[in-house]
Amino acid sequence: MKNRLILLGSIWFLTLFSGSLSAKEGMWLPWLLSNWNEADMQAMGMQLTAEDVYSINQASLKDAIVSFGGFCTAEVISSKGLILTNHHCGYGQIQKHSTVENDLLKNGFWAMSGQEELTNPGLTATFIKYVKDVTNDILLGTTPGMDEAEFQKIIKDNIEKAIEREKTTTDYDLFVRPFYYGNQYFLFAVETFRDVRLVGAPPSSIGKYGADTDNWVWPRHTGDFSLFRIYAGKDNKPADANEANVPYTPLKNLSISLSGFKPGDFTMVYGFPGRTEEYLPEIAVRQEMYVRNPARIKIRETLLELLDQRMRQSDEVRIKYAAKYASISNAWKKWIGANQGLKETKALYKKEKYEEAFTQGLQQNEDWQREYGSILGTFDDLYGKLEPHARAYDHWVEIAYRGLEILRYGYSFRGLVEATSDEDRENAAKKILNGMDGFYKDYDPDFERDAMTALMDLYYHSFQENELPPAVVELFRRSKGNLSGEIQEMYEDSYLTNSEERSDLREWLVDNPSKAAKKMAKDPIYNLSNELYGYFFNTIQPQYEAIQKEIDLLQRQYMKAQMMVFKDKPFYPDANSTLRITYGQVEGYNPLDAVYYNTQTYLDGVIAKYIPGDYEFDLPQKLIDLYESGDYGIYAEGDRMPVCFIASNHTSGGNSGSPALNAKGELIGLNFDRAWEGTMSDLNYDISRCRNIMVDIRYVLFIIDKFAGASYLVDEMDIAGGEPDVPSNELKKVPVETEG
């Protein structure tokens, strides 16, 4: 009777916390929808079959989904290789084409013909051709409890063999990814196109409207989109960028719906989410909340304050650091929201209850108890050991690697300085010269000097001296209380930061690499970077990774044990930048007591936020004129212009640019963010507040057509359903929309 009560308690727990998991939460594998999700999705309203979503026998939705540069998602929206992604996904490319004289970030860009489209060296677009389960092949020869180093060696060898076998039957590029922390493996065959050209982007006052204030926030009024085009060789296969290339002809392009939607309508998002960690133990989430996130937030906050001051003072600096600022700010604000969400949704309490149920479940089977009964206690021990090394690791990464780019650049001279032959020195010099202009194009010495002073001060005062890299301690001892003066002197004396001396360095790299090596060996910035990086690679990283490897091994065992104990619980694999589908419905939420957020925003809200000349809320006069005249064309909803909407799709980083699809698989929007209250969803998805934010496809087409005058691009697209419907106005049924 006691065992039965324990089992019933476990079932109660899973029902309470996971009863609607398959309907709302999860990043599901498209090639397994028929086994896992098809019936559930159709019950929610989907009018497609699993074969329509993913097929290797016929064109399907998957053939219109693109991994954009490996960091975002895009979708094919015409038969001429036109792809749609977020403005913030194309931001780096737009920035590279921008100058003070021709500021594409500020003014936008629209190619009115193929000849005007801009090439982007290094940018790629990758399609998934097919996926195979190769778990048995990859795990062949492994045994439970074997040494982890031996286990990983066998896995690596088996992956290489699996790829070699597959190469005999295909010309596609191949890779293998682990799922469920290495309990399952899939092989991916992909086709990657290397000629991807910029076609159009709205000005930042539309594409980045609200900037940092509105980032991660609902209600949202951002036209976060940009357009690119895939080019191929005349055989329609991938080719290096070349004038002879032609627009790619896809197997499938998405149809676009202007019919709109209403609360409760089915939605799905198809894309490449980056990373989630839904199955971590409570101690790991606790460490993230109270140790790692606060440290990273503080470092980035320091950097952002300095950047904001400089970018507001100078258009040149603004252009140089636009992409970097956006990247730093994005994670900073997300971590703040995630910590708040984890606390407010009682994530640690839920984890504790889950672990209690897990422990009770193990007791039902003596073999399980013997093999996995000590897992949670071991996690506590390992994460305790990891904590000081995690602090050291995070501070170094955020300061010496991500924060101070001059240190990362300085370390790139190590190959030159330590070369032992003329040939090696010449090769190192050529490599440095190839990247020199690119680095200094987006470099401001005044900002970098102030940033080094602020971040080194923060670094030093965050640890005891015996916990710090010796180079940081020595820097403070040399400064004798005047850190700013010490760093100013370093910048004046360095070939890397003194523009006149950098000119000499460039000449030596061309004509006399040996002299360049000798000079750099005494350079203060180079020596600081070399010592910091050396300390990281020799001390911080090995100590951190040694414990992390033990945790990874235990996490693999814990994942396996969870799936055995809770065999009726639907386990979707954590995101790992592979193709996923997530589904839910258009749905508002209550972020606070007595506050309800509607599902749709309109151009009225854009205008209401307008602040002339403001960095975040300025608007182009033409958009204001279109609003005042009500000239929305066929894209309006009644007499209003829709802008953004939300739904309960489970998304993450990497889903930026993913298509939002309706029940028929038609494009209705473009995913670009999550609501602030739900940014903890990578660790703890909660249906009460987790919402993904999408720009309405009607607003996208309105900007392309009526604002930019690039109607030829709309003519390329397949518009489904003709004139838009006018759905009932949900504002009549719920409280007035609350502005953030």
Side-chain angles (χ1 to χ4, degrees):
M1 184 65 176
K2 180 180 179 181
N3 287 345
R4 185 168 180 265
L5 289 174
I6 292 173
L7 185 58
L8 287 173
S10 299
I11 294 172
W12 168 85
F13 169 80
L14 289 175
T15 302
L16 178 65
F17 289 102
S18 308
S20 61
L21 184 63
S22 62
K24 305 292 185 183
E25 178 181 351
M27 298 177 177
W28 303 96
L29 304 178
W31 54 95
L32 296 178
L33 286 187
S34 59
N35 297 335
W36 288 354
N37 312 94
E38 182 180 43
D40 188 40
M41 295 169 77
Q42 290 172 344
M44 290 183 66
M46 185 179 74
Q47 299 174 29
L48 306 173
T49 66
E51 187 79 0
D52 295 325
V53 176
Y54 176 96
S55 177
I56 60 174
N57 300 313
Q58 62 186 32
S60 61
L61 290 179
K62 83 159 171 63
D63 298 306
I65 312 302
V66 175
S67 174
F68 183 80
F71 49 82
C72 277
T73 303
E75 50 275 357
V76 185
I77 56 171
S78 88
S79 61
K80 298 179 181 178
L82 189 67
I83 60 174
L84 179 65
T85 190
N86 287 155
H87 183 268
H88 76 260
C89 292
Y91 202 68
Q93 309 304 325
I94 302 166
Q95 181 215 15
K96 288 176 183 177
H97 292 296
S98 295
T99 62
V100 174
E101 297 75 24
N102 185 28
D103 191 346
L104 304 189
L105 286 174
K106 181 178 180 180
N107 302 320
F109 170 78
W110 304 97
M112 293 301 174
S113 68
Q115 289 72 33
E116 295 181 4
E117 295 173 1
L118 303 177
T119 57
N120 301 282
L123 182 62
T124 59
T126 299
F127 293 88
I128 302 294
K129 305 307 291 186
Y130 63 85
V131 183
K132 283 186 175 182
D133 188 339
V134 291
T135 304
N136 291 338
D137 292 336
I138 304 306
L139 293 179
L140 184 66
T142 65
T143 57
M146 73 184 307
D147 178 74
E148 182 65 9
E150 179 63 18
F151 177 88
Q152 293 299 338
K153 181 180 183 303
I154 292 174
I155 294 296
K156 181 181 178 182
D157 290 345
N158 286 344
I159 287 175
E160 291 174 356
K161 291 174 184 176
I163 289 174
E164 286 302 314
R165 282 195 301 271
E166 193 69 19
K167 281 181 179 178
T168 64
T169 63
T170 184
D171 293 328
Y172 294 126
D173 295 327
L174 304 168
F175 63 85
V176 173
R177 288 285 183 273
F179 290 73
Y180 300 111
Y181 294 92
N183 285 292
Q184 190 171 22
Y185 290 83
F186 287 97
L187 179 145
F188 293 80
V190 302
E191 190 170 43
T192 298
F193 290 83
R194 303 183 296 278
D195 189 353
V196 183
R197 305 183 191 180
L198 177 63
V199 175
S204 290
S205 52
I206 292 174
K208 204 173 183 291
Y209 189 69
D212 306 305
T213 296
D214 277 6
N215 189 25
W216 300 107
V217 170
W218 182 258
R220 197 64 168 274
H221 300 88
T222 311
D224 195 346
F225 76 92
S226 57
L227 293 161
F228 290 77
R229 193 183 304 278
I230 301 172
Y231 278 75
K234 292 183 178 179
D235 58 358
N236 208 41
K237 296 294 184 182
D240 292 333
N242 190 301
E243 290 184 3
N245 288 347
V246 297
Y248 169 65
T249 302
L251 287 173
K252 172 81 174 178
N253 59 271
L254 297 180
S255 295
I256 295 171
S257 172
L258 298 182
S259 297
F261 39 81
K262 62 184 183 299
D265 280 358
F266 176 84
T267 58
M268 56 184 173
V269 171
Y270 211 165
F272 294 86
R275 187 184 182 208
T276 60
E277 297 177 293
E278 304 288 350
Y279 306 110
L280 295 178
E282 186 268 352
I283 185 62
V285 179
R286 182 179 296 276
Q287 190 170 101
E288 196 80 6
M289 288 174 62
Y290 293 110
V291 178
R292 307 194 71 166
N293 279 352
R296 293 182 292 209
I297 289 166
K298 186 175 181 180
I299 294 167
R300 292 202 177 197
E301 195 166 80
T302 302
L303 199 58
L304 287 169
E305 288 175 359
L306 292 171
L307 262 177
D308 182 66
Q309 294 171 11
R310 290 289 296 149
M311 291 172 72
R312 289 178 184 271
Q313 294 167 358
S314 166
D315 281 343
E316 182 180 1
V317 175
R318 175 182 57 79
I319 292 170
K320 285 181 175 181
Y321 285 91
K324 179 178 179 179
Y325 185 95
S327 176
I328 295 170
S329 176
N330 193 55
W332 164 76
K333 194 168 183 179
K334 178 198 168 185
W335 290 328
I336 295 172
N339 266 16
Q340 178 178 312
L342 289 168
K343 292 173 185 176
E344 292 178 357
T345 59
K346 298 179 173 58
L348 297 181
Y349 173 77
K350 291 179 184 178
K351 287 285 185 181
E352 288 171 358
K353 291 300 178 184
Y354 182 88
E355 289 174 7
E356 287 177 11
F358 172 75
T359 300
Q360 292 170 358
L362 289 179
Q363 294 171 1
Q364 310 309 305
N365 184 300
E366 291 183 1
D367 291 337
W368 293 354
Q369 178 65 29
R370 183 169 51 254
E371 188 168 357
Y372 304 113
S374 63
I375 277 182
L376 295 176
T378 306
F379 269 133
D380 289 344
D381 180 55
L382 287 174
Y383 276 101
K385 292 178 180 177
L386 182 71
E387 184 172 315
H389 302 295
R391 289 185 67 245
Y393 185 94
D394 290 343
H395 277 77
W396 188 93
V397 168
E398 289 295 326
I399 292 173
Y401 181 75
R402 290 200 179 101
L404 299 173
E405 291 186 323
I406 193 64
L407 293 179
R408 188 165 73 246
Y409 182 65
Y411 190 69
S412 70
F413 282 77
R414 185 168 181 262
L416 173 76
V417 174
E418 298 190 358
T420 57
S421 69
D422 290 340
E423 182 180 0
D424 288 344
R425 270 188 293 273
E426 289 173 4
N427 289 335
K430 289 177 183 176
K431 186 176 180 180
I432 292 167
L433 286 165
N434 287 337
M436 184 173 278
D437 289 340
F439 176 78
Y440 286 106
K441 175 182 180 293
D442 296 329
Y443 173 80
D444 179 67
D446 292 335
F447 161 71
E448 295 284 347
R449 183 188 61 247
D450 292 345
M452 181 176 286
T453 302
L455 292 186
M456 284 298 173
D457 185 72
L458 189 156
Y459 200 175
Y460 181 79
H461 289 101
S462 296
F463 295 88
Q464 299 295 319
E465 283 196 352
N466 64 345
E467 299 174 311
L468 285 163
V472 175
V473 177
E474 177 59 27
L475 176 65
F476 269 79
R477 289 177 179 170
R478 272 201 325 269
S479 72
K480 297 179 180 178
N482 183 15
L483 182 61
S484 178
E486 177 68 22
I487 289 176
Q488 173 70 30
E489 187 175 331
M490 290 173 61
Y491 268 67
E492 290 174 354
D493 292 345
S494 174
Y495 291 101
L496 298 173
T497 51
N498 184 309
S499 58
E500 293 181 5
E501 294 193 359
R502 186 164 72 245
S503 178
D504 293 336
L505 176 62
R506 183 188 291 271
E507 290 182 12
W508 297 330
L509 288 167
V510 174
D511 300 327
N512 193 343
S514 293
K515 185 174 183 180
K518 291 177 182 177
K519 293 289 186 180
M520 286 305 299
K522 299 178 181 179
D523 186 275
I525 299 289
Y526 165 74
N527 280 313
L528 177 61
S529 67
N530 191 42
E531 290 173 23
L532 282 171
Y533 273 70
Y535 186 79
F536 176 79
F537 290 128
N538 295 322
T539 303
I540 296 175
Q541 188 178 42
Q543 292 174 341
Y544 175 83
E545 289 189 349
I547 301 171
Q548 188 61 55
K549 285 180 180 178
E550 292 185 65
I551 290 173
D552 292 343
L553 167 60
L554 199 63
Q555 185 67 41
R556 185 170 71 243
Q557 296 170 346
Y558 183 44
M559 189 76 246
K560 182 179 180 181
Q562 290 178 73
M563 296 171 78
M564 290 191 303
V565 170
F566 303 129
K567 63 180 184 303
D568 295 324
K569 172 183 166 69
F571 285 92
Y572 59 90
D574 272 320
N576 61 357
S577 297
T578 57
L579 190 62
R580 304 296 178 90
I581 195 155
T582 173
Y583 57 99
Q585 59 188 15
V586 178
E587 189 174 2
Y589 68 108
N590 292 94
L592 298 168
D593 184 37
V595 176
Y596 182 83
Y597 281 162
N598 296 324
T599 60
Q600 183 85 59
T601 60
Y602 296 89
L603 191 55
D604 309 37
V606 176
I607 300 300
K609 290 180 176 179
Y610 170 48
I611 304 174
D614 185 71
Y615 172 70
E616 298 179 305
F617 295 102
D618 197 10
L619 285 172
Q621 184 60 46
K622 185 171 183 180
L623 184 63
I624 297 171
D625 293 342
L626 288 167
Y627 171 76
E628 291 179 346
S629 66
D631 185 8
Y632 305 143
I634 65 171
Y635 311 111
E637 181 182 289
D639 61 354
R640 309 179 78 186
M641 184 67 243
V643 176
C644 295
F645 68 104
I646 53 172
S648 54
N649 300 295
H650 187 180
T651 60
S652 184
N655 272 130
S656 291
S658 295
L661 306 170
N662 64 14
K664 299 177 182 178
E666 298 164 341
L667 184 65
I668 58 172
L670 187 62
N671 185 81
F672 70 92
D673 211 346
R674 280 172 282 171
W676 167 261
E677 295 83 6
T679 50
M680 77 298 177
S681 61
D682 290 345
L683 296 170
N684 176 52
Y685 183 90
D686 189 307
I687 187 58
S688 69
R689 59 169 58 205
C690 290
R691 297 293 182 272
N692 64 307
I693 304 175
M694 296 154 283
V695 58
D696 196 307
I697 195 63
R698 293 169 290 183
Y699 190 56
V700 172
L701 299 189
F702 162 73
I703 295 298
I704 295 171
D705 186 358
K706 306 296 289 186
F707 175 83
S711 57
Y712 84 95
L713 292 172
V714 179
D715 293 340
E716 279 189 36
M717 305 173 197
D718 293 334
I719 308 296
E723 295 288 328
D725 295 333
V726 183
S728 59
N729 189 347
E730 69 173 311
L731 292 177
K732 297 176 181 177
K733 298 184 291 183
V734 295
V736 175
E737 181 175 277
T738 303
E739 294 292 341

